[in-house]
Amino acid sequence: MGDSIDLSGDGGVLKTILRKGKADAICPSEDLPLVDVQYEGMLAETGEVFDTTREDNTVFSFELWKGSVIQAWEIAVKTMKVGEVAKITCKPEYAYGSAGSPPDIPPDATLIFEVEL
């Protein structure tokens, strides 16, 4: 634990496991694409939290392989196991790119998410 894994092959999506998943847990698959996560998203440059499910203890559910989340999440979450907590660092081209996501995410922002599957 603690070592960054380059999931995109170009440094664009880095994953660091903060807590391993359950020993018998499986990863999401095309047969099991629906996932529930809790997360906190921060701007890498300032550390400012721009979105979180932790404050109100909610869960964000989505289907992988549908393009409904940023590319970095599509790449990283499918490598996670239930119970795993990971830090995912996303370069702009794997997040919101040059457009950003106003008003919270500026253009060309590198994002850091702490995600629990």
Side-chain angles (χ1 to χ4, degrees), residues 47-115:
E48 178 185 343
V49 174
F50 61 83
D51 194 14
T52 184
T53 60
R54 293 202 176 126
E55 283 181 8
D56 55 6
N57 202 32
T58 58
V59 173
F60 175 58
S61 300
F62 65 96
E63 257 187 82
L64 287 163
W65 296 280
K66 297 284 188 196
S68 60
V69 293
I70 61 173
Q71 189 179 9
W73 276 39
E74 287 279 350
I75 292 168
V77 172
K78 67 184 178 190
T79 70
M80 295 177 69
K81 292 185 174 188
V82 173
E84 181 177 315
V85 177
K87 180 175 94 170
I88 302 165
T89 303
C90 322
K91 295 288 186 195
E93 56 270 26
Y94 290 93
Y96 295 98
S98 59
S101 183
D104 299 319
I105 302 170
D108 298 313
T110 296
L111 307 178
I112 298 171
F113 292 93
E114 189 172 299
V115 179

Side-chain angles (χ1 to χ4, degrees), residues 20-63:
K20 288 186 177 185
K22 298 174 183 170
D24 59 346
I26 58 172
C27 294
S29 67
E30 291 194 38
D31 292 332
L32 295 167
L34 187 63
V35 296
D36 294 333
V37 298
Q38 282 198 314
Y39 68 91
E40 184 166 82
M42 296 159 273
L43 300 174
E45 191 173 313
T46 64
E48 178 185 343
V49 174
F50 61 83
D51 194 14
T52 184
T53 60
R54 293 202 176 126
E55 283 181 8
D56 55 6
N57 202 32
T58 58
V59 173
F60 175 58
S61 300
F62 65 96
E63 257 187 82

